[in-house]
Amino acid sequence: MLLVQLAHLRGGPHPIDVHLVEPRPAPGPGLAYSARRPEYLLNVRTPALSAFPGDPDHFTNWVATTELPACAQQFCSRQIYGRYLQELVSTVLAQPAMNGMRFFWYQDAAVAATVAPDKYSATVQLASGHALRTDQVVLALGNFAPLPPTGPAQAYLHHPTYHGNPWAKGALRGIAPEHSVLLIGSGLTAVDVLLGLAADGHTGPVTVVSRNGRWPAEHGPITTGYPSFYATELAGLTTVGAVLRAVRGRVRAAARQGIDWRPVLDSLRPDLGRIWAAWPLAEQARFLRHLASIWSVVRHRSPPQNQAAVQAMLDAGIVRMQLGRVRQLVPQGEDLAVQIEKRGYQHWLTARHVITCTGPLLDYRRIDDPLVIGLREAGQLVPDPLGLGMLTDSHGALLDKEQQVSPVFFTLGPSRRPAYFESTAVPELRQQALALAQWLAEMSDSQKRLSS
């Protein structure tokens, strides 16, 4: 997304070389949109998915001009969106942009980044041995695979029927239709896995272990927007309780007028970052402990057809929900024994396959990627105390261990959750990408003026 925004910046000329380091065979789709499974649907309607904030119909128009299948109820497949992003990126890589920028792709992985002695440039080391000297480095790292669900005994990690990353290529292969399956987590990832199993003709029993026993809320019908009440009722509130009381009051008032709760919550979207930033660290931690899981259920919703498919599996008895949390996983021949705890009581289940669906790892204190480790140990990358991402300034520049703003290292996307909390969906990502593209171009132009 950042690459595309850089290429479409107006003004200039900007004689900037942009180097994209991406080891996957096709840059653009990334992890989320590369799965070749049409049953995996986007959980946002098509009109909200344009890559360009100033051209909201771009994706909708692109879909209309392709020969791809129509998007049912305005929910396209992730595969289609991946093709859209891949096409945008390939167009950028094909030739210099009108604004003077040139783009180069390295099908490689970055393993280290070191700052020059002058502290105003860096060298990025690639796995192939190639090195790139650059003025700025943007860590557009996306999401990392979830942590192992239990420890310290982790022999199960090497068991052939434990699936620690449901997004890994071929993750569901080897699951026979009659095999028993246990999913850890009941969010959007679990829904996708259930849809994938159903598409593969799975008929064996599936147990979903969930701490809260909730599926993602279903998207409602398209309605007119609800008026924002941030300025009149939420601005300046510094506790979770005060915000919760105000929002609940609005939801109740809307219900009395026959208005669904969904547009009320959706009206908060432009201001979620300001609401989050107004809370001191202790209140942010309180939200994460008590409300984050419920917020995820109502905020990150599932397409109606997905909910119908899951309900059909529940009604048929193929899928059942089990409240509790997984405490142990122990190999037992071809199977895995799973210890589940609920309110202090433990019991065991056995399943042929166990799939972790708990969502991505965002805690940069625990990420073991070599690039991240090197920057963290050098004090260039500082994880936030709540385990949500990296510490940055308002432009996405990393703060180092001395709390100094880096002129070299930047980031965007999920790594900026400490600043916004909501930093994973396309509407937020494209706006971050545009703002960062503009800032990087301004920095480059300023440096060139100073040196001339």
Side-chain angles (χ1 to χ4, degrees):
M1 196 71 81
L2 177 60
L3 185 85
V4 171
Q5 301 299 345
L6 285 166
H8 287 81
L9 281 181
R10 296 180 180 180
H14 304 294
I16 301 171
D17 286 348
V18 181
H19 302 273
L20 172 65
V21 179
E22 169 55 76
R24 295 183 179 91
L31 178 65
Y33 309 120
S34 56
R36 297 187 177 278
R37 302 199 68 124
E39 63 271 15
Y40 289 174
L41 299 183
L42 297 159
N43 67 314
V44 177
R45 285 186 168 93
T46 299
L49 290 170
S50 168
F52 303 99
D55 186 2
D57 296 327
H58 191 270
F59 179 55
T60 302
N61 293 336
W62 179 87
V63 171
T65 59
T66 66
E67 297 180 357
L68 297 169
C71 300
Q73 300 181 48
Q74 289 195 311
F75 290 98
C76 283
S77 71
R78 296 188 182 195
Q79 185 178 353
I80 287 177
Y81 197 67
R83 178 168 166 179
Y84 168 68
L85 295 177
Q86 183 177 336
E87 187 173 301
L88 289 175
V89 173
S90 62
T91 300
V92 170
L93 294 173
Q95 59 188 3
M98 294 293 290
N99 59 22
M101 293 189 190
R102 300 188 303 170
F103 300 88
F104 305 89
W105 169 38
Y106 302 80
Q107 190 178 351
D108 209 335
V111 295
T114 54
V115 179
D118 65 6
K119 298 183 179 181
Y120 286 95
S121 63
T123 300
V124 177
Q125 191 71 36
L126 306 186
S128 62
H130 191 74
L132 298 172
R133 176 74 179 273
T134 182
D135 296 311
Q136 280 86 34
V137 178
V138 178
L139 304 172
L141 303 178
N143 290 316
F144 291 86
L147 283 173
T150 70
Q154 295 183 333
Y156 66 90
L157 295 178
H158 307 290
H159 195 276
T161 64
Y162 171 72
H163 310 273
N165 181 6
W167 299 111
K169 187 175 181 180
L172 303 185
R173 292 176 186 168
I175 300 180
E178 70 278 5
H179 283 171
S180 58
V181 177
L182 185 142
L183 309 185
I184 305 175
S186 60
L188 291 170
T189 299
V191 171
D192 280 345
V193 169
L194 289 176
L195 295 175
L197 291 172
D200 292 342
H202 191 268
T203 57
V206 180
T207 302
V208 178
V209 180
S210 170
R211 297 183 189 182
N212 58 32
R214 296 183 177 94
W215 299 102
E218 180 180 331
H219 273 288
I222 299 175
T223 61
T224 56
Y226 190 83
S228 172
F229 56 100
Y230 172 79
T232 56
E233 299 181 40
L234 300 176
L237 297 183
T238 57
T239 68
V240 175
V243 172
L244 183 61
R245 284 191 293 273
V247 173
R248 280 178 168 170
R250 274 288 180 158
V251 169
R252 287 193 294 267
R256 289 192 291 270
Q257 301 173 47
I259 300 173
D260 186 64
W261 58 268
R262 292 169 178 84
V264 178
L265 294 190
D266 292 344
S267 74
L268 300 175
R269 185 163 189 165
D271 302 300
L272 289 173
R274 291 195 287 180
I275 294 170
W276 171 259
W279 293 338
L281 191 65
E283 287 297 305
Q284 292 178 348
R286 188 189 310 278
F287 174 83
L288 293 176
R289 286 196 305 272
H290 300 295
L291 290 176
S293 63
I294 298 174
W295 174 251
S296 182
V297 166
V298 299
R299 168 70 181 81
H300 300 286
R301 301 168 206 148
S302 188
Q305 53 266 57
N306 283 9
Q307 294 296 85
V310 171
Q311 189 60 51
M313 297 175 79
L314 289 165
D315 293 342
I318 297 172
V319 175
R320 68 184 183 99
M321 177 77 78
Q322 173 75 60
L323 278 173
R325 64 175 64 196
V326 172
R327 288 302 191 187
Q328 292 189 66
L329 282 169
V330 180
Q332 198 173 77
E334 293 184 326
D335 298 329
L336 288 161
V338 185
Q339 185 190 54
I340 300 170
E341 181 183 74
K342 179 185 176 185
R343 297 177 183 174
Y345 295 94
Q346 295 90 26
H347 69 280
W348 290 84
L349 295 176
T350 301
R352 176 60 56 89
H353 296 267
V354 173
I355 306 173
T356 297
C357 304
T358 52
L361 172 61
L362 300 168
D363 188 348
Y364 275 79
R365 297 169 298 190
R366 309 176 75 176
I367 290 171
D368 61 2
D369 177 83
L371 175 63
V372 172
I373 292 173
L375 290 171
R376 191 172 60 213
E377 292 179 347
Q380 300 289 343
L381 184 160
V382 180
D384 79 294
L386 297 178
L388 295 175
M390 311 175 192
L391 294 183
T392 65
D393 78 347
S394 59
H395 297 291
L398 271 59
L399 303 183
D400 66 17
K401 62 182 179 182
E402 307 297 334
Q403 296 296 291
Q404 297 299 307
V405 177
S406 174
V408 176
F409 293 110
F410 295 80
T411 192
L412 77 166
S415 55
R416 295 202 66 191
R417 288 190 81 205
Y420 301 112
F421 186 69
E422 290 285 342
S423 190
T424 56
V426 169
E428 285 77 32
L429 298 185
R430 68 188 177 198
Q431 192 60 52
Q432 286 185 32
L434 175 59
L436 183 54
Q438 292 169 338
W439 181 247
L440 293 173
E442 288 177 17
M443 289 182 65
S444 177
D445 291 346
S446 176
Q447 289 169 355
K448 285 179 170 57
R449 285 194 297 270
L450 289 173
S451 62
S452 61

